[in-house]
């Protein structure tokens, strides 16, 4: 660094004097070359200011004291500025590293929590789950039983970001250890509740709904842990029914018990599960009403289930100016026979 400064000191003095006397633009071009050399050698801005002070004192040894003091003041300001700039650069680098790590974690989460939509005779299933940010605080899961039954789980962490994503990973692996196809929905939630209560910070809670669809009996059995109410569209009457199953959120009480509800499902009925990222979409500063949500679903009710959920998502994505404020998960099941 010292050699670079010494090498350019005389040249800088000559360029400065030439420019003061003639305002020749070639002097500015040569100055640009010096500046680029300084940048390559990581010469700090205050060194350039100091070089300028020395050049002015050499060219005009009789400079007034006020000018010298002003340049010293500028030099100190540049030092402070340089230190702050270095800190900003460091924080920017840290942010880039963190962003990269979160991106890797998000891809891993997507792989780890991935669930395949099952193929069930007589049942049309549609699902969409989109995180508001890189990490998803929503969770959904399907289990296909040997007798054609299907288990449906949908959950939402009260919280966002990496902690929420880690909670969902824990839920997923806890569920993998259960024989879900043979467990009733209320027992699934009771077992998960004990896992959550023991392992998750008391400031975090998980809402969840777990259901079994029994095609041979045309019944839906479900239990809820404080989750958003679902809906059933009754094809015979063209009306929606709210499915408000009661139950305390996971992780509050170690011995919480959950009630199991049973519903009859008829041909062409539509079962709707969702998270609050759907039911609490905003139009500006206004939360949408339930009736608005159901009317949007009704608008696409005749489409195949997957097309239906995708169209509903696109509608609310556009409503929010393509910036989701919360994770968006919507599942629909249509009984076809």
């Amino acid at each position: 660094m010292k050699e670079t400064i010494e090498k350019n000191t005389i040249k800088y003095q000559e360029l400065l004097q030439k420019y003061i006397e003639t305002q020749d633009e070639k002097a500015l071009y040569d100055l640009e070359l010096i500046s680029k050399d300084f940048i390559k050698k990581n010469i700090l801005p205050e060194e350039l200011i100091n070089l300028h002070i020395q050049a002015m004192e050499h060219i005009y040894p009789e400079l007034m004291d006020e000018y010298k003091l002003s340049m010293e003041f500028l030099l100190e300001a540049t030092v402070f500025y340089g230190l702050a700039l270095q800190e900003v650069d460091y924080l920017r680098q840290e942010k880039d590293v963190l962003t990269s790590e979160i991106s890797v974690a998000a891809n891993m989460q997507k792989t780890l929590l991935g669930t395949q939509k099952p193929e069930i005779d007589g049942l049309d299933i549609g699902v969409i789950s989109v995180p508001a940010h890189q990490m998803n605080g929503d969770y959904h899961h399907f289990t296909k039983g040997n007798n054609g039954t299907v288990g449906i789980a949908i959950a939402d962490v009260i919280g966002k970001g990496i902690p929420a994503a880690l909670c969902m990973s824990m839920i997923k692996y806890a569920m993998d250890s259960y024989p879900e196809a043979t467990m009733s929905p209320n027992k699934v939630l009771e077992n998960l509740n004990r896992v959550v209560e023991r392992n998750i910070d008391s400031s975090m809670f998980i809402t969840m709904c777990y259901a079994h669809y029994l095609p041979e009996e045309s019944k839906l059995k479900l239990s809820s842990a404080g989750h958003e109410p679902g809906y059933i569209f009754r094809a015979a009457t063209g009306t929606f029914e709210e499915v408000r199953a009661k139950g305390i959120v996971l992780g509050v009480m170690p011995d919480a018990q959950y009630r199991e509800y049973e519903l009859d499902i008829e041909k062409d009925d539509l079962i709707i599960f969702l998270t609050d990222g759907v039911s609490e979409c905003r139009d500006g500063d206004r939360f949408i009403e339930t009736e608005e949500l159901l009317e949007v679903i009704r608008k696409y009710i005749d489409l195949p289930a997957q097309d239906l959920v995708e169209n509903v998502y696109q509608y609310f994505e556009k409503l929010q100016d393509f910036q989701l404020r919360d994770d968006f998960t919507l599942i629909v099941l249509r009984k076809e026979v």
Side-chain angles (χ1 to χ4, degrees), residues 231 240 242 279 288-298 316:
Y231 299 91
F240 288 94
E242 182 179 275
S279 59
I288 66 166
E289 302 291 337
T290 299
E291 292 74 14
E292 294 178 72
L293 168 61
L294 297 181
E295 282 305 310
V296 174
I297 294 175
R298 184 188 295 276
F316 286 113

Side-chain angles (χ1 to χ4, degrees), residues 100-335:
S100 177
E101 290 178 349
I102 291 176
S103 178
V104 171
N107 289 330
M108 290 181 63
Q109 184 202 30
K110 188 175 180 180
T111 300
L112 292 172
L113 300 187
T115 182
Q116 189 169 1
K117 186 172 66 174
E119 297 292 333
I120 306 293
D121 290 339
L123 191 65
D124 185 19
I125 301 175
V127 57
I128 188 166
S129 185
V130 182
H133 305 290
Q134 286 182 284
M135 306 295 286
N136 200 339
D138 285 358
Y139 170 70
H140 70 281
H141 180 69
F142 296 102
T143 302
K144 184 177 180 180
N146 294 329
N147 56 354
T149 63
V150 58
I152 309 105
I154 184 167
D156 185 6
V157 176
I158 301 174
K160 293 183 174 29
I162 294 176
L166 292 174
C167 287
M168 282 305 152
S169 298
M170 184 189 67
I171 287 289
K172 194 266 186 186
Y173 282 100
M175 292 186 69
D176 282 348
S177 67
Y178 303 150
E180 296 177 53
T182 60
M183 292 179 67
S184 60
N186 62 327
K187 294 304 178 184
V188 170
L189 291 187
E190 287 169 11
N191 286 332
L192 285 174
N193 178 67
R194 286 190 287 271
V195 172
V196 172
E197 195 275 333
R198 293 170 186 166
N199 295 281
I200 292 182
D201 186 88
S202 59
S203 64
M204 298 187 70
F205 306 103
I206 298 174
T207 71
M208 185 171 184
C209 179
Y210 189 79
H212 270 163
Y213 176 68
L214 312 174
E216 292 183 359
E217 301 176 36
S218 295
K219 291 185 181 296
L220 180 75
K221 295 183 178 182
L222 77 156
S223 295
S224 176
H227 196 72
E228 287 291 304
Y231 299 91
I232 293 181
F233 175 76
R234 297 296 187 183
T237 61
T239 58
F240 288 94
E241 294 178 6
E242 182 179 275
V243 181
R244 185 173 287 278
K246 296 181 180 179
I248 191 169
V249 297
L250 301 180
V252 176
M253 297 173 57
D255 299 320
Q257 294 185 333
Y258 296 90
R259 179 180 171 185
E260 185 172 290
Y261 297 80
E262 184 175 296
L263 300 167
D264 292 321
I265 307 299
E266 305 296 336
K267 183 179 182 300
D268 293 327
D269 285 353
L270 194 75
I271 306 165
I272 303 163
F273 299 103
L274 45 80
T275 59
D276 60 8
V278 182
S279 59
E280 295 180 3
C281 282
R282 294 189 184 187
D283 181 5
D285 294 327
R286 180 187 68 86
F287 286 104
I288 66 166
E289 302 291 337
T290 299
E291 292 74 14
E292 294 178 72
L293 168 61
L294 297 181
E295 282 305 310
V296 174
I297 294 175
R298 184 188 295 276
K299 180 179 179 182
Y300 303 109
I301 204 78
D302 295 326
L303 295 178
Q306 189 60 42
D307 292 339
L308 188 157
V309 296
E310 290 177 3
N311 275 275
V312 171
Y313 167 70
Q314 290 167 10
Y315 176 91
F316 286 113
E317 182 189 34
K318 183 178 180 180
L319 188 70
Q320 298 176 88
D321 294 326
F322 301 95
Q323 294 182 339
L324 296 183
R325 302 191 184 188
D326 199 357
D327 304 322
F328 185 108
T329 301
L330 177 64
I331 300 172
V332 301
L333 301 89
R334 176 183 284 114
K335 177 178 168 59

